[in-house]
Amino acid sequence: MKQKKPWGGRFAKQTAASVESFTESVSFDWRLYQYDIEGSIAHATMLARCKLITEKEKDAIIKGLQEILAEINSEKFKFRESLEDVHMNIESALIERIGEAGKKLHTARSRNDQVALDLRLWTRDQAHKMIRLLTLLQRELVKKGKMYFGLIMPGFTHLQHAQPVLLSHYLLAYVEMLERDKARLQDCCVRLNRSPLGACALAGTTLTTDPVMTAKLLSFDGVCENSMDAVSDRDFCVEYAFCLSMVAMHLSRLCEEWIIWCNDEVKFIEISDAYCTGSSIMPQKKNPDVLELIRGKCGRVFGHLTSLLTLLKGLPLSYNRDMQEDKIAIFDAADTVQTSLSILAELVANTHFHEEQMMAACEKGFIDATALAEYLVKKGVPFRMAHEIVGKIVRECIRVQCKLMDLQLGGFKAFSSVIEEDVYKVLGVENCIKNYRSYGSTAPGFVKKRIAYWEKKLSKG
Ligand code: ARG
């Protein structure tokens, strides 16, 4: 049987089946049900206080909505495509259940402010979930940083050996990035946290309502100041998609690195068998597919950000149906980043770092050359000149195939007379690490303090 449309009064013909399936959104926006019901309960409470419905009607509405919520939660509720979206499915079910009182729920409300509300509530909740997941990943990184404290690896620039760093320092770099991601999500919630309810279709209402009350009931910091903006604004979706893109980009950088780190040439890490997959033809293979997929899924997340911007760029005020597409983008972006974050946290916990390989790599690439240049600076040589001298020393070492520390003092003196026996106290990766002093550097003392700082901060949740 065809469902009667809540907006059917003006229509002489039934909606074409093709139009129903083309315009429906319930197949994806059903996941807003919890927020839709929460919003409707607040709205009904406000309507009763403003005497637009009676206390009895309000109670019937709330009871009915709570029953519907329970039904959806236990997967007994049947969403119907013919009722278009989550909002009309729930409202129709309410009317079926409680009759006349149900027909009053949509007083002083439009689906335009309703959907804007639901989406804000969903995004606010999601952002907080994402922050918790970021914390879990940070904790795993800090745990590894503590476990491997003291382990030295070559730091890279241009993917070439550059200067030695502590593995812990490298891991904590990601902890810093993720902390910024969390702050960005918090900040997104500041602008998002205003209630659009009361804007109705676009212009507000001639009825006496109290949007401030609904905003309070739903824990918003205030009400949107302009009804046209309230129903047209999806900035918070774009901002959220950007926050997610930034997270995805950070994860992808780590993944790219670790993919390189587990290949046969580098072998800095060994990922547990449980977090790798094999090849259908090459029996010996163990591939880092999880890392590759996190890197790959980044494309989807960036794509959703672009979709949202493109979706909005040509939209005249106020509501346009195009905006229904926002949910597809934002839901998938959130799902993708959420699963990537949680699986990466597991993978980090299940990764072993090869000390010998990292140490062996440190022997290559003259990564103590900068320390030697700074040694010359301490002896009074202007830095630009020190750079030139050490460059020449390195060239000589390449020629005779030795490390900097293998040169005899006489060999050094041929390049600079200020070099003394104490030069051997700055050469070699261990000495380099020991001698770092600047704030935020990889100096073991600083790194140790930072590990303690993060442990304490992240234990709070
Ligand atoms: N399903 C719609 C959406 O997601 C709800 C709002 C519909 N409003 C309207 N005037 N057709 O945007």
Side-chain angles (χ1 to χ4, degrees), residues 130-201:
M130 210 60 78
I131 289 172
R132 283 195 290 278
L133 284 173
L134 283 159
T135 302
L136 293 183
L137 176 57
Q138 284 179 306
R139 280 192 197 139
E140 293 304 335
L141 292 164
V142 174
K143 254 192 234 165
K144 287 281 158 178
K146 193 175 182 188
M147 191 186 293
Y148 288 97
F149 181 74
L151 177 55
I152 304 171
M153 61 172 260
F156 296 85
T157 61
H158 313 271
L159 214 51
Q160 310 280 321
H161 290 193
Q163 286 184 282
V165 293
L166 290 178
L167 170 66
S168 318
H169 192 54
Y170 157 86
L171 293 167
L172 292 191
Y174 281 97
V175 177
E176 298 285 345
M177 286 176 227
L178 302 179
E179 190 65 17
R180 286 197 297 277
D181 291 334
K182 284 158 66 173
R184 210 170 280 117
L185 285 161
Q186 300 274 17
D187 184 54
C188 167
C189 286
V190 172
R191 274 176 299 284
L192 169 155
N193 209 24
R194 300 203 151 252
S195 173
L197 216 52
C200 302

Side-chain angles (χ1 to χ4, degrees), residues 23-26 28-29 32 84-87 110-112 115 234 319-327:
T23 55
E24 70 84 27
S25 58
V26 70
F28 50 90
D29 69 13
L32 293 173
E84 246 176 79
D85 53 27
V86 64
H87 324 293
S110 153
R111 272 185 300 157
N112 298 353
V115 70
R234 292 293 182 274
Y319 179 83
N320 300 273
R321 192 61 176 269
D322 315 43
M323 285 155 92
Q324 180 164 290
E325 294 280 312
D326 57 3
K327 284 166 277 305

